[in-house]
Amino acid sequence: MSGAELKCLLVDNDPFWQSQYNTLIAEGWQREFPFVSVEVVVASGLDQAIHLITEHPDDFDLGVVDILLDDDDEEPLGLAVIRKLREHNEGPSEHKTAIIGISFDSDWVNKAEAAGAHEWVGKGWLMDQPLGSADFGMKMRGAFEKAGIDPLRADGIKASWSEDDLSLAATVHTIGEATLLKLALRLLREKIERVEISPVRAGLSGASVLRMRCSIPRGTDKGPRQRDLLVKVSRDPLALRREREVAQLTQDFPGGLFQSYDLGVESSSGWQAIGCHFRGGPTLIDWLAGSPSPDLVEHCLESLFLGGSGLQRAYSDSMDTETTDRFPAALHQLLLTDARRAHIELAARELASVVGRHASDANDRLAVVETFVRARRFGNVDVPGTRPEACLVRSHGDLHGRNALVEGRNRPVLIDPANIGMLPWTSDWARLSVDLLTSMPIVGDSAFEWDDLGMWRADVNGFVRGDRDVNSASLSFSTALAWLRSNVYALCPFPTSRADQEWKLRLALAVELSRGSYRVQELPPPRRVLALLAAADAFDAAAEAFTSRSIAPGS
């Protein structure tokens, strides 16, 4: 490729079709690759086309070839042009050409493909059912993909990120700087001169969410304008497509509460991305780490959960109590999938010896967790036999502190709608609460040490039972947790007693704490052990609260 400009060889002997193709190529190109210019070189016959390919073999990035060229030939002349282009593709040069064959006669499709064409368009289609520029643009893009060619160049774009953030640096180097820049080009569909990359999160699924602040040139007399993208990058295109489809469910939530991905799925070098125009703001975890005032923390969480624009509104609008699932069974079936149960059991096995050194009741605690995971029992409560029905509501499904952003005026916005679904009403609250409990900042290196494990465990147990404030080095985290614990009852969308709510929310916390035991990427070992021990304590606390309701197990 010569600089940022690509060349297309158009081969056709009819001026009318030359004009039609020129228009389709220009308009289709503008739709698919608006940030890269293209020059169309026209050859009116076989000899001229062969001469251009022979004399300038590395000039052409795309070939659009009329297969017939001359109706009187038994062997269409266009096939010879396609074979010549394929011959170059199979040669030693690193430069390759994507090839599109065009003909009135669909009988030539197989021969065109055998000759080396990557895509095919019928002229009859162009006449009887006019092929729009968007369709032709997709054909060109498909030809590039099948030929293994990326028409984008990121050479002139300057990228920057914090090398001090080792996790971010590892993500950028794993995906590749050029790949990230090309994904940004594809998502934004504009020329970019500079990109600032910052992290949002990296997940166990292998998908990373990044902020990309893109500087768009506006001419010599004006400075660049800024466009912010929120980009999710993964090697799993099916998962990203499913997420785009699930994102339609964000319409079931109050307006402005979700910022869902509406750009993509785009691909480069085996990586795929979806994205959205980003309104800015740190993640909730980072915002809390910045020590906002208690009033701001409470206002932010109230906006997220309560009132007409919070999650409570979505819960009330989607409430489903006509389910045969009972609450514990719903938690077990919907939140503890087969894979998650396996992760919890593996974590318990891996951490068993460590737990034994730091907790005198280690064997008993591990057995409590395994009993719920395997046998679906907590305390003396048999899950399949419990009477209370589950109230399922439309939930975010993965509401941890990095899936909520805090915009200007301290307004929370949710991202990552991949797990939206009908879940017990406690699910989002429990997921966020446990994330804050296990992610609280601790002074110095003590997060990786064991001396304070007993104190942490007492704090978490106090939160589970609602009888003790959490002591944290961060007032903002303590304030957030105190607000979550004291306001959780307001989230329940149907009338019921506080005693009925209490055992359910304790059980939801136990399930989420169990999941915290295997979040290796997110938690240091002492915090994973904390999650495992606190999960067992929470199962016991849930059983106590359940029994105190005077509902006999299995009745």
Side-chain angles (χ1 to χ4, degrees):
M1 299 181 188
S2 56
E5 183 180 75
L6 303 183
K7 279 190 177 182
C8 171
L9 176 63
L10 170 58
V11 184
D12 196 287
N13 60 350
D14 187 327
F16 170 80
W17 288 110
Q18 291 175 4
S19 175
Q20 293 291 310
Y21 296 150
N22 258 310
T23 300
L24 286 170
I25 292 169
E27 293 180 355
W29 197 275
Q30 182 62 28
R31 286 176 174 271
E32 288 295 326
F33 313 108
F35 31 78
V36 181
S37 60
V38 61
E39 175 189 352
V40 179
V41 177
V42 178
S44 299
L46 172 65
D47 293 341
Q48 185 181 7
I50 296 298
H51 173 77
L52 288 169
I53 296 168
T54 303
E55 294 297 317
H56 310 283
D58 291 340
D59 272 15
F60 300 109
D61 308 287
L62 175 67
V64 179
V65 182
D66 179 10
I67 296 173
L68 294 178
L69 281 180
D70 189 338
D71 292 337
D72 295 334
D73 285 288
E74 292 184 5
E75 174 73 359
L77 299 180
L79 293 180
V81 178
I82 293 174
R83 291 193 185 98
K84 185 67 176 177
L85 290 171
R86 184 188 69 182
E87 178 183 319
H88 170 66
N89 284 343
E90 295 174 347
S93 174
E94 293 185 1
H95 181 274
K96 307 299 178 186
T97 303
I99 308 167
I100 299 176
I102 302 181
S103 173
F104 278 112
D105 193 345
S106 61
D107 292 340
W108 292 111
V109 174
N110 292 335
K111 288 192 175 182
E113 291 179 348
H118 301 105
E119 284 284 357
W120 179 86
V121 174
K123 280 186 177 179
W125 186 7
L126 292 173
M127 296 180 69
D128 301 334
Q129 302 177 30
L131 187 70
S133 56
D135 298 313
F136 200 81
M138 292 176 64
K139 288 288 186 180
M140 290 190 291
R141 182 168 179 168
F144 279 121
E145 290 176 353
K146 290 178 182 178
I149 299 171
D150 191 339
L152 305 186
R153 297 295 297 273
D155 300 356
I157 304 176
K158 296 180 179 179
S160 61
W161 65 89
S162 173
E163 289 285 358
D164 293 333
D165 187 334
L166 299 182
S167 176
L168 173 62
T171 298
V172 172
H173 292 308
T174 297
I175 299 172
E177 177 185 322
T179 297
L180 284 171
L181 296 178
K182 289 178 181 180
L183 289 170
L185 283 169
R186 290 193 183 281
L187 290 167
L188 200 54
R189 296 181 177 273
E190 294 188 77
K191 289 187 176 181
I192 302 172
E193 62 181 23
R194 180 184 295 274
V195 175
E196 298 175 22
I197 304 171
S198 57
V200 175
R201 68 172 181 82
L204 286 172
S205 62
S208 298
V209 181
L210 303 170
R211 292 192 192 98
M212 304 182 78
R213 168 159 285 190
C214 304
S215 297
I216 313 299
R218 292 195 293 183
T220 55
D221 58 335
K222 296 181 179 179
R225 57 189 175 91
Q226 304 297 323
R227 298 289 295 275
D228 288 333
L229 290 176
L230 188 69
V231 181
K232 186 170 188 177
V233 186
S234 171
R235 283 196 178 277
D236 187 347
L238 293 179
L240 294 185
R241 289 191 179 93
R242 284 196 300 270
E243 184 159 343
R244 286 287 308 280
E245 294 170 359
V246 171
Q248 298 176 7
L249 296 176
T250 60
Q251 299 173 9
D252 295 338
F253 292 79
L257 185 59
F258 254 100
Q259 185 161 350
S260 58
Y261 301 111
D262 55 4
L263 305 175
V265 174
E266 302 294 345
S267 61
S268 180
S269 301
W271 292 90
Q272 287 74 34
I274 53 178
C276 63
H277 296 291
F278 180 49
R279 298 192 292 264
T283 66
L284 178 61
I285 287 284
D286 293 333
W287 182 73
L288 289 173
S291 300
S293 70
D295 287 346
L296 291 180
V297 172
E298 292 177 351
H299 171 73
C300 177
L301 292 174
E302 184 171 346
S303 299
L304 176 60
F305 282 103
L306 302 181
S309 59
L311 286 167
Q312 181 192 47
R313 172 69 179 275
Y315 298 163
S316 298
D317 290 346
S318 62
M319 180 175 60
D320 175 18
T321 56
E322 300 299 323
T323 174
T324 56
D325 283 335
R326 307 309 185 189
F327 184 85
L331 279 179
H332 196 280
Q333 294 166 8
L334 298 176
L335 293 177
L336 290 185
T337 62
D338 290 343
R340 289 170 179 171
R341 290 199 296 272
H343 278 304
I344 293 170
E345 291 196 62
L346 179 61
R349 190 174 304 168
E350 290 176 342
L351 297 172
S353 60
V354 178
V355 174
R357 288 199 297 271
H358 297 279
S360 58
D361 55 350
N363 292 336
D364 172 69
R365 298 296 80 196
L366 294 177
V368 168
V369 175
E370 290 181 352
T371 296
F372 185 82
V373 171
R374 292 183 181 180
R376 299 198 298 171
R377 288 182 61 83
F378 61 107
N380 293 321
V381 182
D382 183 27
V383 167
T386 56
R387 284 184 58 189
E389 291 182 343
C391 176
L392 303 185
V393 297
R394 184 78 70 196
S395 306
H396 179 282
D398 193 23
L399 182 50
H400 56 73
R402 297 195 182 279
N403 272 343
L405 308 176
V406 183
E407 298 183 336
R409 300 183 180 178
N410 306 300
R411 182 176 181 276
V413 174
L414 300 177
I415 62 171
D416 206 358
N419 294 284
I420 287 178
M422 297 296 290
L423 297 171
W425 64 272
T426 54
S427 300
D428 288 339
W429 170 85
R431 179 73 172 95
L432 180 59
S433 296
V434 168
D435 190 47
L436 297 186
L437 284 167
T438 55
S439 302
M440 286 187 299
I442 295 178
V443 177
D445 298 326
S446 58
F448 296 88
E449 298 174 354
W450 299 90
D451 295 345
D452 295 330
L453 181 62
M455 182 186 69
W456 298 341
R457 184 177 174 185
D459 278 344
V460 177
N461 288 344
F463 180 87
V464 170
R465 294 175 177 272
D467 58 7
R468 169 176 168 168
D469 290 336
V470 174
N471 295 313
S472 170
S474 168
L475 176 61
S476 56
F477 274 79
S478 297
T479 302
L481 287 164
W483 188 95
L484 288 168
R485 193 59 177 87
S486 61
N487 288 276
V488 61
Y489 306 105
L491 296 180
C492 185
F494 66 100
T496 184
S497 67
R498 180 164 291 199
D500 181 68
Q501 295 174 350
E502 181 66 25
W503 75 268
K504 291 178 179 177
L505 64 90
R506 292 184 184 186
L507 187 60
L509 288 170
V511 169
E512 286 301 331
L513 284 164
S514 300
R515 293 177 61 193
S517 66
Y518 65 78
R519 295 195 177 107
V520 182
Q521 293 177 329
E522 302 168 23
L523 301 177
R527 295 298 185 92
R528 293 176 60 207
V529 169
L530 167 66
L532 199 59
L533 293 172
D537 297 337
F539 281 123
D540 286 347
E544 290 175 17
F546 183 88
T547 303
S548 69
R549 295 175 66 252
S550 299
I551 298 178
S555 63

